[in-house]
Amino acid sequence: MINASSTEWSSFKAKLQQHPELLLQFRYTADKLVNANYHITEIKQAPITSVDCGGVMNAWTEIIIQLWEPTEEEGGRAMYVKKALSIIELVDNRMPINPMAVVKIEFGNSIFDTRQMYPAEFKIDGDNLIINLTPDATQCKATSRGGSCGTTATGEECCAPVKPIKRKVELVNLVSDQNSCTPGSGCC
């Protein structure tokens, strides 16, 4: 898992716990907040195990907080941070959450395709705690290990399939005088 904008679960919770009295808002683009009638529908813990293009196994855990924006407009305000914390506590009591897991917010509506984004910035604006979300991006893990994605300096492709190992087979006692079959002997 490589992303400079990532926040760990323990840090995410700690930032919320600092402001339980504020209203919790999520900004998914520069000028758009998730509607105030949103719901936190579920919190998912996803252990990820992968093998990258260089043949290296990687493992990490993600916590995905899913937000749902009902199509009907509801009056009122966004939920308070303390309400979000009560949902988090409910989840924590039912399932052990990895405190080092990377947090993502999953959201989409009729004008914004569903995607998972990182909570990049927590800003206080009046009575609101606004979490600015930043999109995830695909990455090549080989570059974080000092490798390259594409052709290496030695001309090898990092993403090329691994060449099969040719094993030497030693042929032993192929011809023997005893019980051998020779052409014309009738044994074959």
Side-chain angles (χ1 to χ4, degrees):
M1 189 39 234
I2 308 165
N3 191 299
S5 300
S6 64
T7 302
E8 292 180 347
W9 180 247
S10 58
S11 175
F12 180 82
K13 278 180 34 178
K15 287 177 182 178
L16 293 180
Q17 289 166 340
Q18 293 173 10
H19 307 286
E21 74 290 347
L22 297 178
L23 294 167
L24 183 58
Q25 298 279 331
F26 295 89
R27 179 172 285 131
Y28 62 95
T29 64
D31 58 346
K32 295 282 186 191
L33 292 174
V34 175
N35 283 346
N37 65 336
Y38 75 87
H39 297 264
I40 295 175
T41 58
E42 66 182 1
I43 298 176
K44 304 178 253 191
Q45 180 166 240
I48 311 290
T49 304
S50 72
V51 176
D52 65 31
C53 62
V56 175
M57 185 177 281
N58 300 280
W60 67 93
T61 301
E62 295 177 354
I63 302 301
I64 303 152
I65 300 172
Q66 185 181 74
L67 303 179
W68 173 60
E69 189 180 82
T71 53
E72 316 82 46
E73 283 293 324
E74 295 175 6
R77 305 177 182 203
M79 76 171 62
Y80 283 95
V81 172
K82 65 183 169 191
K83 172 64 176 170
L85 287 168
S86 72
I87 295 168
I88 288 169
E89 184 178 335
L90 175 73
V91 172
D92 276 339
N93 289 334
R94 301 279 307 192
M95 154 175 82
I97 301 285
N98 179 346
M100 306 299 281
V102 173
V103 175
K104 289 186 174 180
I105 308 297
E106 184 174 73
F107 172 73
N109 61 21
S110 62
I111 59 170
F112 188 77
D113 291 337
T114 301
R115 64 189 78 177
Q116 293 177 359
M117 299 167 280
Y118 293 101
E121 183 181 20
F122 294 69
K123 288 182 82 171
I124 296 174
D125 183 8
D127 292 339
N128 298 295
L129 174 61
I130 300 173
I131 300 177
N132 291 325
L133 304 176
T134 186
D136 196 358
T138 57
Q139 314 152 27
C140 179
K141 290 175 180 60
T143 57
S144 70
R145 294 190 302 267
S148 67
C149 199
T151 306
T152 65
T154 60
E156 299 168 338
E157 299 288 332
C158 77
C159 300
V162 177
K163 294 179 184 176
I165 299 171
K166 292 184 179 181
R167 296 183 181 164
K168 293 183 180 181
V169 177
E170 186 178 336
L171 303 175
V172 183
N173 294 330
L174 291 179
V175 179
S176 171
D177 289 340
Q178 300 173 336
N179 300 325
S180 66
C181 187
T182 60
S185 68
C187 68
C188 311

